[in-house]
């Protein structure tokens, strides 16, 4: 896991500041640089490390609230969760260093590209509002998760 985390953190170098803002519209690139080391290619997850992001749980939760994914990206998520019949003890750090545009782009990639979710797209303005609001606790975020 240390190698995967180091690889993910190494990818952040190209996403902070100007270069990252220019690539913000490419959620797949943000995902590859920041999320893929733990959540794996195409969001398949890594047993015992990171839950799948291409999942019925994420799709059902996104159908209920568009705020779940960007809130997890902004605030991280620690503690026990279940996904696709597996249990995870998550330790995802906050990714608040990403720009609002990058978070909106990676949210679109996870919710709509990986999961085929329909509905309103999360834009940078919505992410900025979430960032400015009260940060939810890990328990709050877990409570948002829907079972398919």
């Amino acid at each position: 896991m240390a190698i995967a985390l180091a690889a993910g953190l190494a990818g952040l170098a190209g996403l902070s500041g100007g270069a990252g803002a220019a690539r913000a519209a490419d959620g797949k690139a943000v995902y590859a640089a920041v999320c893929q080391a733990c959540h794996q290619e195409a969001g398949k997850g890594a047993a015992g490390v990171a839950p799948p992001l291409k999942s019925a749980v994420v799709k059902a939760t996104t159908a209920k609230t568009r705020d779940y994914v960007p809130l997890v990206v902004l605030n991280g998520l620690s503690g026990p969760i279940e996904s696709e019949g597996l249990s995870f003890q998550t330790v995802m750090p906050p990714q608040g260093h990403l720009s609002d545009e990058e978070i909106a782009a990676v949210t679109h990639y996870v919710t709509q590209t990986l999961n085929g979710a329909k509905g309103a797209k999360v834009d940078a303005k919505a992410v900025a509002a979430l960032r400015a609001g009260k940060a939810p606790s890990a328990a709050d975020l877990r409570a948002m998760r829907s079972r398919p």
Side-chain angles (χ1 to χ4, degrees), residues 24-147:
D26 188 353
K28 185 175 183 179
V30 176
Y31 180 88
V34 180
C35 314
Q36 186 168 300
C38 294
H39 292 285
Q40 303 299 297
E41 186 176 357
K44 66 183 178 184
V49 178
L53 297 181
K54 180 178 182 178
S55 74
V57 173
V58 172
K59 188 171 184 175
T61 301
T62 299
K64 186 173 78 173
T65 175
R66 70 181 191 151
D67 294 346
Y68 176 74
V69 171
L71 282 171
V72 170
V73 174
L74 280 167
N75 300 290
L77 181 59
S78 296
I81 62 169
E82 289 188 17
S83 184
E84 305 302 302
L86 300 172
S87 296
F88 296 86
Q89 185 64 34
T90 61
V91 187
M92 181 185 152
Q95 303 297 316
H97 60 278
L98 295 174
S99 71
D100 296 340
E101 292 81 9
E102 289 165 333
I103 293 172
V106 78
T107 295
H108 178 79
Y109 178 73
V110 169
T111 60
Q112 297 187 4
T113 303
L114 293 182
N115 288 290
K118 306 292 184 224
K121 182 178 175 182
V122 173
D123 60 17
K125 187 175 179 178
V127 174
L130 292 172
R131 188 187 299 269
K134 181 178 183 269
S137 69
D140 293 337
L141 290 171
R142 284 192 299 273
M144 292 174 79
R145 294 175 62 83
S146 295
R147 295 191 185 267

